[in-house]
Amino acid sequence: MSGKADPRPAGDGTTSRARLDRGRGALGPALELVHTGRAPTRAVLTAELGVTRATAGAVAAELEALGLIRVDARPGAAAGSQGRPSHRLALAEDGPVVLAAQVHADGFRAALVGLGGQIVATAPGCESVDADPAKVLGSVVEAGADLLRETGRRCVGAGLAVPSAVAEPEGLALNPLHLAWPAGAPVRRIFAECVRAAGLTGPAFAGNDVNLAALAEHRHGAGRGAHDLLCVATGHRGVGGALVLDGRLHTGSSGLALEVGHLTVNPEGRPCHCGSRGCLDVEADPLAFLTAAGREPGPEVSLLQESNELIRRHYDDPSVRRAAETLIDRLGLGLAGLVNILNPDRIVLGGLHRTLLDADPDRLRAVVAERSLWGQSGGVPILACTLDHNSLVGAAELAWQPVLDDPLAALS
């Protein structure tokens, strides 16, 4: 990747340089406001940062000089604003990107993601996962490197989403239950080595796929504006959960918080990989649904796709409806327990759970309200995730975070 020219101060002369020096610490917060869509104009940016108009102008100009945003001199007023219209702020369409990668039970996918959670390009996903994580991660990084060569974009980092709790600070995949990988595989180190071997620079990160989906939904999707956001999702296999508190993922003391897949919702239920029985992981995922509906999983498509299509196209089939209602009741019981413990102000559901919510929203909300103290006292909004590839976008958020923290240092 090519180097970046030294950032230019906004404007000329001592006054503008002094304004930029005062606002240098605001570059990161300003970029995050534009990145998350909360500062569409320079006037809003000024108010959100609590600085003078001149300082906000210098900050916006510097972010534009770094190739991160565009300042449109044509005035545009934010909805409900009064007074003189302000310059519009937008993310640079040709700005840098990060490499985002996701591995799941049915394959992997690579993408380039810009600021604002915008997916710039994707590589065709692989449909099998080798038992050697180094081979898988090498392949997914190679696919991402091909995308970078094709697009000619500058890459400033890489993020990886995996279906496992990722222990910190080592970056170990402790329980890749639905992959053939060894427990404790050092996925972050392996991923970083693959990134370097592909000739890419910038930091490399790894995280749990549902944690990253929650982060993406909080910044760019159905969770935007929530203070205590609970995300529960089932992708290709198993069930995961995540909590975003005041804009930050709550991962516990070592990255292992919110393993909601191992909440017991059916004590006489199926054996779980963790050694217990009737966990959400085996009672409310796509395989559980297909089994309850009397369908034999086919080799043509993933379990998630097969389950989603069955609900959307054949919900009037009594066996499909009964299976869906069973999973909804199990999911609702688990959500109610989480609501009692965490008291979130919003719940977002992803994967098959999003499809179940769409199929019968009243049933799921009624189960949660009936079985939770806080639900009975007013209810918790339960919404469907709105980002189609939220784990990929969340992996990108990991890689973008150093830039959001300190744009000058990250891009120098």
Side-chain angles (χ1 to χ4, degrees):
M1 296 182 300
S2 61
K4 186 75 177 178
D6 290 337
R8 303 188 300 275
D12 297 316
T14 304
T15 301
S16 59
R17 287 179 182 272
R19 287 172 183 159
L20 179 58
D21 288 340
R22 289 196 301 271
R24 198 174 296 275
L27 286 175
L31 180 60
E32 184 165 343
L33 287 166
V34 182
H35 171 63
T36 55
R38 291 177 291 158
T41 68
R42 203 167 66 183
V44 176
L45 183 69
T46 302
E48 290 289 332
L49 293 177
V51 298
T52 65
R53 289 174 53 191
T55 298
V59 167
E62 181 64 14
L63 291 175
E64 185 173 37
L66 288 169
L68 298 171
I69 73 169
R70 293 287 177 263
V71 180
D72 190 342
R74 293 173 298 174
S81 64
Q82 297 180 355
R84 188 171 63 183
S86 178
H87 293 178
R88 294 185 180 93
L89 304 179
L91 296 167
E93 293 182 357
D94 58 349
V97 296
V98 298
L99 167 61
Q102 181 183 9
V103 178
H104 51 73
D106 292 316
F108 63 76
R109 181 175 294 275
L112 304 183
V113 183
L115 283 166
Q118 296 300 310
I119 296 178
V120 174
T122 60
C126 174
E127 295 182 355
S128 62
V129 178
D130 194 274
D132 181 356
K135 290 183 179 179
V136 180
L137 299 182
S139 296
V140 75
V141 170
E142 182 180 348
D146 288 343
L147 290 176
L148 287 168
R149 285 188 286 270
E150 292 169 6
T151 61
R153 302 291 282 267
R154 180 190 181 191
C155 182
V156 296
L160 168 69
V162 293
S164 167
V166 177
E168 297 296 344
E170 299 89 353
L172 309 179
L174 287 192
N175 58 344
L177 298 178
H178 304 292
L179 303 177
W181 292 359
V187 291
R188 186 169 62 207
R189 176 180 61 78
I190 296 171
F191 183 58
E193 290 171 351
C194 292
V195 168
R196 301 291 173 267
L200 308 179
T201 58
F205 303 89
N208 170 262
D209 52 2
V210 179
N211 273 355
L212 300 182
L215 184 61
E217 291 290 340
H218 186 271
R219 292 185 175 179
H220 308 293
R224 185 179 293 176
H227 188 274
D228 299 327
L229 176 69
L230 173 64
C231 176
V232 176
T234 176
H236 297 261
R237 291 293 301 276
V239 175
L243 185 65
V244 181
L245 299 176
D246 198 22
R248 299 290 176 181
L249 276 171
H250 173 70
T251 55
S253 60
S254 57
L256 308 180
L258 270 291
E259 279 291 302
V260 306
H262 301 291
L263 286 173
T264 299
V265 293
N266 182 16
E268 306 302 321
R270 300 176 179 88
C272 182
H273 303 276
C274 70
S276 186
R277 299 185 71 89
C279 296
L280 269 179
D281 217 47
V282 293
E283 296 286 339
D285 79 337
L287 182 59
F289 170 73
L290 292 173
T291 301
R295 292 333 197 249
E296 189 71 27
E300 297 83 8
V301 296
S302 71
L303 297 175
L304 176 60
Q305 183 178 344
E306 187 174 353
S307 298
N308 284 336
E309 290 179 353
L310 192 59
I311 294 173
R312 290 167 179 159
R313 297 179 181 178
H314 303 287
Y315 198 66
D316 55 348
D317 183 316
S319 64
V320 173
R321 181 182 291 271
R322 282 194 302 270
E325 290 175 348
T326 297
L327 259 71
I328 288 171
D329 291 347
R330 298 280 190 255
L331 174 61
L333 184 60
L335 291 178
L338 292 168
V339 167
N340 285 335
I341 295 169
L342 301 173
N343 189 25
D345 60 356
R346 195 178 309 173
I347 299 171
V348 295
L349 302 179
L352 177 61
H353 295 164
R354 174 172 66 173
T355 307
L356 291 170
L357 176 66
D358 291 340
D360 197 343
D362 293 337
R363 186 182 185 97
L364 180 60
R365 292 180 176 123
V367 173
V368 175
E370 179 184 351
R371 300 300 293 267
S372 65
L373 175 64
W374 306 115
Q376 294 173 20
S377 66
V380 182
I382 303 176
L383 307 175
C385 289
T386 57
L387 303 177
D388 288 334
H389 301 289
N390 49 23
S391 290
L392 269 179
V393 174
E397 291 297 315
L398 286 183
W400 275 118
Q401 194 59 52
V403 180
L404 297 174
D405 291 338
D406 190 342
L408 282 173
L411 299 182
S412 294

